[in-house]
Amino acid sequence: MILRPLSRGDQDEFIAAMRASRRLHGRWLSPPTTPEAFDQWLLRAREETFVSILACRRQDGAIVGYFNISQIIRGYLQSAFLGYGAVAAHAGRGYMTEALELVLEHAFTDLGLHRLEANIQPGNEPSIALVRRCGFVKEGYSERYLKINGRWRDHERWAIRSEQWRARGRR
């Protein structure tokens, strides 16, 4: 797997992949599926508090998923939120696990973050399994936390701190 920043040239492939992944994403998330939504995402990716990364297969460059590190707070907190989505055609092959490990390395080394939090709807077992495999710990539960597809949805709070990530690397 390789990670690379989102770019304008990704629009057609990304939108096609997200449209083809609607059943996989279901009620869990709503990624950009129109040129207008993609343009808004690309604009946001230029902000200092938002990093958008594509996960691509090394052998052919195919997009297998994406990650957003958002609401980056500097100073004493050094924290951010993590969002992500897989491409259905590549789901279940371990690509997102490998990519998330690379995202964590980027977050805790290049970005210098101390903590990364992922908020996941309780029934989203594949997503919960992903963060658990990568060392995140469940910290709590937030009712009606995030509005997705027009509805307020409950979420579990999962997080990993830099020292937890470093300790995993030593095993």
Side-chain angles (χ1 to χ4, degrees), residues 107-171:
F108 294 130
T109 59
D110 302 331
L111 297 178
L113 295 177
H114 171 70
R115 183 176 188 282
L116 200 56
E117 180 176 316
N119 290 282
I120 304 166
Q121 292 177 61
N124 190 343
E125 291 303 324
S127 188
I128 290 169
L130 172 63
V131 296
R132 187 178 278 139
R133 276 192 305 275
C134 292
F136 284 67
V137 175
K138 184 178 177 182
E139 292 186 336
Y141 187 86
S142 299
E143 292 182 5
R144 297 174 47 85
Y145 176 75
L146 190 60
K147 196 172 196 177
I148 299 174
N149 294 326
R151 291 192 51 216
W152 289 103
R153 307 210 186 251
D154 298 347
H155 282 71
E156 294 178 2
R157 285 189 319 279
W158 291 80
I160 186 169
R161 295 183 319 274
S162 59
E163 60 269 18
Q164 292 169 312
W165 173 76
R166 284 183 179 80
R168 283 175 43 86
R170 289 190 205 110
R171 282 191 256 156

Side-chain angles (χ1 to χ4, degrees), residues 67-133:
F67 294 86
N68 292 321
I69 301 172
S70 64
Q71 306 301 315
I72 298 172
I73 302 169
R74 296 297 183 182
Y76 294 117
L77 197 54
Q78 295 297 337
S79 183
F81 293 97
L82 178 69
Y84 50 86
V87 172
H90 304 292
R93 297 183 180 151
Y95 293 137
M96 290 297 282
T97 300
E98 185 179 342
L100 180 50
E101 293 289 358
L102 294 172
V103 168
L104 293 174
E105 180 178 0
H106 178 64
F108 294 130
T109 59
D110 302 331
L111 297 178
L113 295 177
H114 171 70
R115 183 176 188 282
L116 200 56
E117 180 176 316
N119 290 282
I120 304 166
Q121 292 177 61
N124 190 343
E125 291 303 324
S127 188
I128 290 169
L130 172 63
V131 296
R132 187 178 278 139
R133 276 192 305 275

Side-chain angles (χ1 to χ4, degrees), residues 44-73:
R44 189 165 180 217
R46 294 183 183 140
E47 297 173 9
E48 287 184 23
T49 60
F50 191 90
V51 174
S52 195
I53 301 167
L54 296 179
C56 302
R57 278 195 311 215
R58 186 177 299 278
Q59 63 266 33
D60 61 3
I63 298 171
V64 301
Y66 70 93
F67 294 86
N68 292 321
I69 301 172
S70 64
Q71 306 301 315
I72 298 172
I73 302 169

